[in-house]
Amino acid sequence: MRAGRLIAIVLLMQNNGKMTSKALAEKLEVSERTIIRDMESLCEAGVPVYAERGLHGGWVLDGGYRTQLTGMHPDELISVLVASSTSLLGDLGISQQYEAAVQKLLAAAPDAVSRGAALVRQKIHIDGAGWHQLEESQPFLPLVQEAVWEERLLHIRYQRGEGVTDRTIRPLGLVAKRNIWYVVGEAAGERKTYRISKLLGAEMLEERFERPEGFDLAGYWEQSIGEFKQSLPKYPAVIALSDISILARLAKERYVTVTETSPADGPAGWLSAHVEFQAEQSAEEIILSYGSRLKVIWPDELRERVTKELSAALDSYTVQGNNLVQD
């Protein structure tokens, strides 16, 4: 992220004194040309950096600027904001306390730092909810991240079904779903989400764009997830659950939507629930994972599938002549 790199440049020069473009480029793993552009940006922002020419030349930070970099800087705030933006806080019941702590940090930080850190919350969203974790190659992630931060148009080439599509987008923000990264882009007034691992090419253009006023990245993502779930196939069923804790766990399943609950006939404490699975097979697998704590009421074919699978499992442990038969 360029904002973090600019701060890193200032801190490196503060701690090491004069540094060449080559030394800075090696430290930050960028090109010398990028360092020169960054120095121009620092000068425009009022940071007192200047170049010394000659054999022993390099970039120098005015010594009087040292005292202005005490306390928390953007990268430290960013690490707190990004690392803690997960559903774990909600699971622990401390999401409100976290938000209060962040606001205190932003209020205590210098204006420039707090503005920069607050902006990160608008451009990066971390969704820690439970999709299966995958290992993906994402070579274009640093470039996309730069375009998001700089608010510059991004030309992408990506895999779409069996074909390849080219498009120029306004990259509004990044979303991480576990270790899968997405970029939310706008083109022709339409907003879409692109999986970064599917990009076949990406080029950041010189042209900048104006970020839509009031755009809420986290809100957009949650709405998109809801619409995606609604578009999935639905397999309705009625089930009985042993207690409300099982209902709470079931409601967190990726492929399950609970639509209605009521007390169930039978043992005290049992609940009846109308649910929607994605497919019959996934319904069977999920139901079997709960063992005796969950029963199928309807439809009959699902109950028969689950019963058949349970019978087959029991048969595999049948004892014959006091010997356990293992298939």
Side-chain angles (χ1 to χ4, degrees):
M1 183 177 297
R2 192 180 185 211
R5 191 174 68 239
L6 294 177
I7 294 294
I9 289 173
V10 175
L11 292 175
L12 283 169
M13 289 194 296
Q14 175 179 298
N15 294 329
N16 299 292
K18 185 191 307 178
M19 295 188 71
T20 64
S21 296
K22 181 179 179 181
L24 286 167
E26 290 175 350
K27 278 279 187 183
L28 301 172
E29 299 181 346
V30 295
S31 67
E32 292 184 47
R33 183 178 177 183
T34 296
I35 294 296
I36 293 172
R37 287 202 305 265
D38 288 344
M39 290 303 181
E40 293 173 352
S41 297
L42 288 171
C43 289
E44 291 173 359
V47 178
V49 292
Y50 58 93
E52 284 188 355
R53 309 290 180 183
L55 181 62
H56 301 290
W59 293 101
V60 180
L61 174 69
D62 189 289
Y65 196 71
R66 178 180 299 270
T67 57
Q68 299 179 39
L69 287 175
T70 56
M72 183 170 282
H73 60 76
D75 274 356
E76 293 171 335
L77 266 180
I78 288 168
S79 67
V80 172
L81 298 176
V82 171
S84 299
S85 296
T86 73
S87 61
L88 298 178
L89 292 169
D91 292 341
L92 294 172
I94 59 174
S95 56
Q96 291 184 345
Q97 291 88 333
Y98 164 73
E99 183 62 29
V102 167
Q103 293 306 318
K104 290 176 182 177
L105 282 174
L106 293 175
D111 287 345
V113 173
S114 61
R115 283 196 302 268
L119 188 58
V120 169
R121 304 187 81 191
Q122 299 175 24
K123 296 188 177 183
I124 299 179
H125 175 61
I126 308 298
D127 184 347
W131 286 3
H132 297 297
Q133 187 162 331
L134 301 172
E135 293 297 330
E136 294 194 334
S137 175
Q138 301 174 123
F140 298 105
L141 178 57
L143 178 64
V144 175
Q145 182 185 40
E146 185 91 352
V148 169
W149 187 253
E150 291 294 306
E151 296 181 355
R152 288 167 60 177
L153 295 183
L154 184 70
H155 185 77
I156 59 174
R157 190 165 176 263
Y158 65 99
Q159 190 76 40
R160 186 175 183 180
E162 298 297 324
V164 176
T165 301
D166 287 85
R167 180 166 295 179
T168 298
I169 64 171
R170 299 178 179 87
L172 301 179
L174 290 170
V175 176
K177 184 75 172 177
R178 293 293 179 92
N179 64 334
I180 302 175
W181 284 90
Y182 302 85
V183 58
V184 176
E186 184 178 71
E190 185 179 12
R191 290 170 187 163
K192 290 186 177 182
T193 303
Y194 303 89
R195 189 163 172 165
I196 292 179
S197 63
K198 298 292 185 182
L199 297 185
L200 303 177
E203 179 186 3
M204 184 170 62
L205 307 181
E206 292 296 329
E207 183 180 348
R208 297 181 182 273
F209 65 90
E210 186 174 344
R211 186 177 178 82
E213 185 176 353
F215 174 68
D216 179 4
L217 179 61
Y220 170 84
W221 176 255
E222 293 304 320
Q223 179 182 346
S224 297
I225 291 297
E227 293 174 351
F228 170 73
K229 287 183 176 180
Q230 288 298 318
S231 69
L232 293 175
K234 294 179 175 60
Y235 183 83
V238 179
I239 58 177
L241 308 100
S242 62
D243 58 70
I244 196 168
S245 66
I246 303 301
L247 178 64
R249 178 181 161 190
L250 185 70
K252 293 182 179 180
E253 295 275 2
R254 180 184 178 188
Y255 299 115
V256 181
T257 301
V258 179
T259 59
E260 182 183 341
T261 61
S262 62
D265 296 333
W270 278 68
L271 298 171
S272 174
H274 291 252
V275 296
E276 291 178 346
F277 297 97
Q278 185 178 352
E280 186 177 26
Q281 182 176 352
S282 62
E284 177 187 353
E285 293 172 354
I286 292 170
I287 289 167
L288 287 169
S289 70
Y290 285 85
S292 62
R293 296 169 295 175
L294 192 155
K295 300 177 181 178
V296 179
I297 306 300
W298 176 87
D300 293 341
E301 63 266 20
L302 178 59
R303 187 172 66 249
E304 290 171 3
R305 284 185 60 146
V306 171
T307 301
K308 183 178 180 180
E309 185 62 30
L310 289 172
S311 297
L314 182 62
D315 289 344
S316 69
Y317 290 95
T318 300
V319 177
Q320 294 181 348
N322 295 323
N323 293 319
L324 183 65
V325 178
Q326 297 180 333
D327 293 334

